Amino acid sequence: MTSSSVTPAAGAPSVGAGRIWAARILRALVVVFLLFDAVTKLFESPQVLKSAAQLGFTPRQVVTAGVILLVCTLLYVIPRTAILGAVLLTGYLGGAVVTVYRADMPLFETLFPMLFGVLVWLALYLRHPRLGGLLSGAWNQ
């Protein structure tokens, strides 16, 4: 085993240290942003409530969305539940895309949640390259 690789699970490809660090940094950035977003919703930040009201959400719904986002993010942070967390975050962020699109917001604001969904999965893929094999295997069937 070289110093730049991690011991793989049985049958899993080796992952280089650079790739692992890139995954950690990317995941940390995504998690910090999502936790910040969840906390501002939970503490009913006036600016968040104002923006949410423009989208048709009540303060109670904003807090509920904050709880959902916090739970999904925590599941994503825990290694054993990271895939489940990523799937749930994908659903949450997909809902954000539709909500912003329906409100006829600018294109960047519509695409922003999609970007975070991609980053959530990219961080997992960098750490677990077998995820790419699952996707390519699905397309080859």
Side-chain angles (χ1 to χ4, degrees):
M1 179 169 88
T2 65
S3 62
S4 65
S5 66
V6 173
T7 304
S14 179
V15 179
R19 197 169 164 150
I20 289 173
W21 277 104
R24 287 176 181 163
I25 291 167
L26 187 58
R27 188 175 94 169
L29 292 172
V30 168
V31 167
V32 166
F33 177 82
L34 293 174
L35 288 176
F36 176 78
D37 190 27
V39 168
T40 59
K41 286 175 173 53
L42 291 173
F43 288 108
E44 300 182 49
S45 162
Q47 188 165 359
V48 169
L49 292 179
K50 181 181 174 188
S51 296
Q54 292 172 344
L55 296 171
F57 291 102
T58 66
R60 183 181 61 81
Q61 290 170 324
V62 171
V63 172
T64 302
V67 170
I68 292 168
L69 179 56
L70 182 63
V71 169
C72 294
T73 303
L74 292 176
L75 287 170
Y76 179 67
V77 170
I78 300 167
R80 293 187 74 117
T81 59
I83 301 273
L84 174 61
V87 169
L88 294 173
L89 284 170
T90 302
Y92 180 89
L93 293 167
V97 169
V98 170
T99 300
V100 173
Y101 179 74
R102 182 178 176 271
D104 204 24
M105 302 295 281
L107 181 62
F108 176 76
E109 292 183 35
T110 303
L111 296 178
F112 192 73
M114 289 172 130
L115 170 67
F116 265 83
V118 169
L119 295 177
V120 162
W121 284 100
L122 179 59
L124 279 177
Y125 169 72
L126 287 172
R127 182 66 179 90
H128 304 285
R130 289 188 350 183
L131 284 174
L134 291 174
L135 290 176
S136 67
W139 284 318
N140 292 331
Q141 291 183 3

